[in-house]
Amino acid sequence: MFPSHIPRSLHCKNESLLSLVNKFGELIEGREDELLSPNTAASDFRDVISLCSTYKTRAVENRDEFEFKKAKLQQQKQAAEGVEAEEIDLPAQPLASEFTPLSAQENFLLASIHAANYNLCIGNAICPGRTAKLMTCWKRTDSRVIQQFKEHGMDRFVCQEERKAVERCLGNSVQRVMKDIER
């Protein structure tokens, strides 16, 4: 789904949107009937969260597995160096059904891919026209050109107009939802 030749530095800045996603349930608590009635920004936002949740879940699962495997490898390395294993704080082991035979690096890569796809899914659901233009720009931009821009510290200019348009649209969406919640 997400073009693989696009570096993280060129992804849309959507921290405020992701913060709202993470706090949405808490923000509307006790006012669900009012805020989630049809044709409200909050209701539409809830639908977007639901639509894209699979990508977020996969990203979180792979991130958790990566963190566990990384800590386990560190524990093994320190044990080989004579450091007691009890001194190393291991994160909770992922459930057996989620635990895969992938390496820690592969889990990290999958977490990054699913996170990028999650961001793209949200952008596409909220701002489909602008996200489509951004995707078209990214797809028609050669990876060598992006690398040259990056080497000269100018990578921010690659598809800048399209990226900023998506960022503005996402920001406007956050504003609409917050206005619904603050009423």
Side-chain angles (χ1 to χ4, degrees):
M1 193 166 154
F2 199 89
S4 59
H5 68 287
I6 302 301
R8 184 113 180 100
S9 62
L10 296 182
H11 294 196
C12 291
K13 308 288 184 273
N14 61 353
E15 290 80 12
S16 61
L17 179 75
L18 295 178
S19 178
L20 180 58
V21 167
N22 291 331
K23 296 176 183 175
F24 187 69
E26 175 185 321
L27 290 171
I28 66 165
E29 191 173 319
R31 299 179 54 208
E32 290 88 347
D33 291 342
E34 169 194 350
L35 292 173
L36 298 179
S37 60
N39 301 321
T40 63
S43 174
D44 294 343
F45 192 70
R46 181 203 51 202
D47 294 344
V48 167
I49 293 170
S50 176
L51 174 73
C52 301
S53 66
T54 301
Y55 294 115
K56 182 178 182 182
T57 301
R58 289 178 184 163
V60 168
E61 288 170 353
N62 277 284
R63 172 63 74 178
D64 290 348
E65 195 167 325
F66 164 74
E67 293 296 336
F68 177 79
K69 288 177 180 177
K70 184 176 89 172
K72 194 77 169 159
L73 287 171
Q74 183 181 8
Q75 184 183 50
Q76 291 170 351
K77 180 182 173 190
Q78 289 183 350
E81 294 171 352
V83 177
E84 287 191 38
E86 294 172 11
E87 295 177 22
I88 301 166
D89 210 13
L90 276 180
Q93 181 171 352
L95 298 174
S97 62
E98 297 169 352
F99 204 68
T100 64
L102 300 174
S103 70
Q105 292 82 5
E106 290 169 324
N107 282 122
F108 180 78
L109 181 61
L110 272 178
S112 298
I113 290 169
H114 289 305
N117 284 337
Y118 175 65
N119 289 339
L120 185 61
C121 179
I122 286 178
N124 197 43
I126 295 174
C127 311
R130 293 176 188 192
T131 301
K133 287 179 183 178
L134 177 59
M135 289 294 292
T136 299
C137 181
W138 278 343
K139 287 178 182 177
R140 73 171 187 244
T141 305
D142 188 272
S143 61
R144 292 176 300 227
V145 171
I146 292 174
Q147 187 59 39
Q148 288 175 343
F149 271 83
K150 195 172 187 176
E151 288 171 4
H152 292 91
M154 299 173 59
D155 55 334
R156 68 185 180 279
F157 294 113
V158 176
C159 302
Q160 182 180 30
E161 185 178 322
E162 294 85 351
R163 190 175 63 253
K164 293 291 183 190
V166 172
E167 290 170 358
R168 280 191 305 274
C169 180
L170 294 175
N172 289 337
S173 175
V174 169
Q175 277 186 319
R176 286 191 301 276
V177 173
M178 291 308 296
K179 282 182 182 175
D180 269 4
I181 291 171
E182 290 172 353
R183 285 188 204 158

